[in-house]
Amino acid sequence: MTALLEVRDLVAGYDGGRVLDGVGLTVAPGEAVTLLGRNGVGKTTLIHAVAGFVRPSQGSVRVGGREVSRQAPNVVARSGVAIVPQGRRVFATLTVEEHLAIAARGRSWTRERVYETMPRLAERRDHLASHLSGGEQQMLAIGRALLSDPRLLLLDEPSDGLAPVIVDRVQELLLDLVAGGMAVLLVEQNLRMAFAVASRVLVMSKGRVVHEGSVTDFRADAGRARDLLGVAG
């Protein structure tokens, strides 16, 4: 299958420092890939580089065959990329409805479809984001991202700080999105969720992808998982 996202030999960092050191990966339409690794290896930097928040010094990022590696985030977004950042980053003084009204610009994903997909947001539409639970804020962040009609959804630690029952709801939503043809690149420390959503796993170390393979094979090799992540698969 032709890749929707193609990252090749990507080098990027901050203030002259190198965080990504020649990263390459692909994600196909309707595929979920999970990006694993210890803290500080460059996972978030990679997500931000794909989204246009970090400008690489070398390498290539292509979305649907179009080079976007040195484009502004709004240009990358128009190519079909949406990000759900770590920590959710919703605006405390805006209501759910106001968040979604500001973000709404797609034709496939409308506010009505978001509310149908996540009924709890419909129930809380007039509530300020600061009055939402962590799980509700995460749903809002995902709903906001979907309103741009993305082909590729980038998620950075979506289970962080959530109760297990809410993690299960986020997991179900992501599975539905992938089944509908969306490409997903998922950074996640919750291995149970990561392995349930993704079919392929990439492991980063020191700014490089050091392992790539199927989730099934990775889980079957507990020694490799332990060596790469410090945990059993």
Side-chain angles (χ1 to χ4, degrees):
M1 184 180 294
T2 303
L4 174 63
L5 172 66
E6 299 177 87
V7 178
R8 296 183 181 178
D9 302 319
L10 201 67
V11 176
Y14 308 93
D15 299 325
R18 181 177 289 196
V19 178
L20 303 180
D21 189 19
V23 172
L25 62 88
T26 63
V27 184
E31 181 185 32
V33 175
T34 186
L35 187 63
L36 306 179
R38 301 171 192 260
N39 290 335
V41 299
K43 303 185 301 295
T44 293
T45 301
L46 176 56
I47 289 284
H48 285 179
V50 172
F53 299 145
V54 174
R55 178 164 293 191
S57 58
Q58 298 177 41
S60 172
V61 177
R62 290 181 174 270
V63 178
R66 178 186 177 189
E67 180 64 45
V68 299
S69 61
R70 289 160 185 84
Q71 299 295 325
N74 63 307
V75 177
V76 178
R78 287 198 295 271
S79 74
V81 179
I83 184 170
V84 180
Q86 186 175 19
R88 299 177 274 278
R89 299 186 187 179
V90 295
F91 299 102
T93 58
L94 296 183
T95 65
V96 168
E97 177 68 15
E98 288 169 339
H99 274 89
L100 299 184
I102 290 171
R105 58 183 180 273
R107 294 184 178 181
S108 177
W109 280 94
T110 62
R111 279 177 285 173
E112 290 73 21
R113 185 178 176 188
V114 168
Y115 286 138
E116 289 172 3
T117 304
M118 292 172 272
R120 184 59 176 165
L121 291 183
E123 296 171 7
R124 304 281 276 172
R125 70 175 71 202
D126 295 325
H127 290 249
L128 296 176
S130 59
H131 296 169
L132 303 180
S133 69
E136 290 166 346
Q137 289 183 359
Q138 187 61 275
M139 290 294 183
L140 177 56
I142 294 173
R144 181 178 59 186
L146 292 175
L147 284 169
S148 66
D149 282 350
R151 296 183 290 170
L152 170 67
L153 189 62
L154 311 171
L155 299 107
D156 194 358
E157 304 285 2
S159 76
D160 186 29
L162 302 186
V165 66
I166 304 301
V167 173
D168 288 344
R169 291 177 188 170
V170 173
Q171 176 180 305
E172 291 172 4
L173 173 59
L174 295 181
L175 286 169
D176 287 344
L177 294 174
V178 172
M182 191 173 295
V184 168
L185 181 58
L186 171 67
V187 173
E188 184 54 71
Q189 295 291 342
N190 184 324
L191 296 184
R192 183 180 68 84
M193 175 179 167
F195 293 157
V197 171
S199 59
R200 193 153 53 90
V201 57
L202 306 177
V203 181
M204 288 187 67
S205 178
K206 297 180 180 178
R208 290 179 174 270
V209 174
V210 296
H211 172 81
E212 178 177 357
S214 72
V215 165
T216 300
D217 290 346
F218 188 76
R219 297 192 70 179
D221 190 344
R224 180 182 293 273
R226 186 166 52 249
D227 291 342
L228 292 172
L229 302 175
V231 297

